[in-house]
Amino acid sequence: MTFQKRREALRSTLSGAVCIRPGSVYDAISIRIAEDIGFEVGMFGGSVASLAVLGDPDIALITLTELAEQMRRMSRAAALPVLVDADHGYGNAMNVRRTVQELETAGAAGLTIEDTLLPQAYGQAKPQLISLEEGVGKMKGALDGRGDPSLVIVARTGAASITSLEDTIVRAKAYEATGVDALFFTGIKAKSELEAIAAATTLPIVLGGAPEAMNDPDYLRGLRVRIALQGHAPIAAATQAVYETLKALREGLPPKELKGLASSELTNKVTREAEVKARLAQLLGL
């Protein structure tokens, strides 16, 4: 599947009538598994990118080059459309422009740009937002950097948990006016907040986490929520599995007695062994 088709598939999800849950992906194997299972969209979060590439917490240490290269690896491995958390765009509006160019080239189907002040300011323990004017400039920079019109640009704000609902709506309307394709909200705690935001805007909504009472797909669908994140459990599960396996081996358990390992059938499937063997026969006569 070409990059354009992946982007068109993501656009189809955003313009559709249902709310989907994306599969959290972070490397070549995880994206293939998500694709094989049938997820419509993959979500490459900033936190999992930092874990997978650096082994560091989500404090904006990863660079654009590292993020784009990991996305490029995933794009090669599978055709699943991926929405990338591009954080703050790695700088000002000009940096955002380049972030879009790099992630577009790397095969992302879409990306989010947020208005959080990153990296964290000296002496400020709580998250902060950049000004509305700078946020608008970043969205404009993202749109200006887009070479493929099918690439999805999503404006993200965490104002609901940092400033106020009123500020959230002001920012959402201003970002919508720039021409972005969707709006991403984090920190929403009540149905009334989501309902007010949906009433004040018109674009498809991506929701980054919400209380259990707001997780009904039919309810979210009625408020134009087309993608609702459900955390990044796969990398947490993988971390636990690796820890338990290495711990058991270190304590002397024979490898053949280990539990929970991928079968040879599953390994062959995710490594596309049948396709590789066919090419070996065709190209190398093996």
Side-chain angles (χ1 to χ4, degrees):
M1 184 187 291
T2 66
F3 292 164
Q4 184 177 359
K5 288 184 178 180
R6 300 178 196 192
R7 292 161 187 163
E8 290 171 350
L10 176 56
R11 285 184 174 275
S12 179
T13 294
L14 291 172
S15 63
V18 300
C19 175
I20 66 106
R21 302 285 190 178
S24 177
V25 298
Y26 54 91
D27 65 4
I29 293 298
S30 63
I31 192 174
R32 282 182 173 172
I33 292 172
E35 181 178 59
D36 290 347
I37 288 173
F39 279 96
E40 301 91 342
V41 174
M43 182 69 207
F44 185 30
S47 58
V48 297
S50 185
L51 284 170
V53 176
L54 302 177
D56 282 332
D58 188 18
I59 56 172
L61 294 180
I62 193 170
T63 67
L64 169 58
T65 302
E66 292 166 333
L67 181 76
E69 184 56 35
Q70 192 73 351
M71 182 64 246
R72 187 172 290 107
R73 293 186 181 106
M74 290 193 286
S75 295
R76 170 196 168 275
L80 182 70
V82 175
L83 179 62
V84 182
D85 174 4
D87 286 333
H88 62 311
Y90 301 93
N92 63 24
M94 291 296 292
N95 297 105
V96 169
R97 186 177 186 276
R98 180 165 179 233
T99 294
V100 171
Q101 292 173 329
E102 294 297 331
L103 289 174
E104 179 179 310
T105 303
L111 57 93
T112 69
I113 297 292
E114 65 187 83
D115 56 8
T116 312
L117 177 62
L118 294 172
Q120 200 163 348
Y122 179 81
Q124 295 292 334
K126 295 182 179 180
Q128 294 177 294
L129 300 179
I130 58 177
S131 70
L132 173 62
E133 293 76 15
E134 185 175 4
V136 167
K138 285 195 171 189
M139 304 314 159
K140 290 180 177 179
L143 294 167
D144 187 59
R146 179 169 60 184
D148 179 358
S150 64
L151 179 71
V152 174
I153 304 294
V154 182
R156 170 175 167 168
T157 183
S161 62
I162 298 174
T163 52
S164 66
L165 173 61
E166 292 71 23
D167 186 39
T168 301
I169 291 174
V170 168
R171 286 172 180 267
K173 293 173 72 173
Y175 299 157
E176 183 174 291
T178 67
V180 297
D181 302 300
L183 300 170
F184 188 143
F185 299 98
T186 61
I188 295 177
K189 300 299 184 184
K191 286 185 175 182
S192 59
E193 294 178 341
L194 180 59
E195 290 163 6
I197 290 168
T201 59
T202 63
L203 290 175
I205 292 174
V206 179
L207 190 60
E212 190 65 32
M214 295 171 59
N215 281 335
D216 176 31
D218 289 333
Y219 170 76
L220 295 175
R221 174 179 60 82
L223 294 173
R224 297 195 322 281
V225 177
R226 296 297 175 253
I227 298 176
L229 276 62
Q230 53 185 355
H232 300 292
I235 196 168
T239 300
Q240 184 67 34
V242 170
Y243 176 85
E244 295 294 345
T245 300
L246 287 174
K247 183 173 182 290
L249 290 170
R250 178 62 175 169
E251 291 173 352
L253 185 71
K256 62 182 180 181
E257 294 183 21
L258 290 169
K259 305 296 183 182
L261 303 185
S263 66
S264 58
E265 290 79 12
L266 177 57
T267 301
N268 292 343
K269 183 176 182 180
V270 298
T271 58
R272 307 299 192 249
E273 185 184 55
E275 297 173 18
V276 172
K277 284 185 174 180
R279 290 192 178 95
L280 286 172
Q282 179 184 7
L283 302 176
L284 295 180
L286 299 180

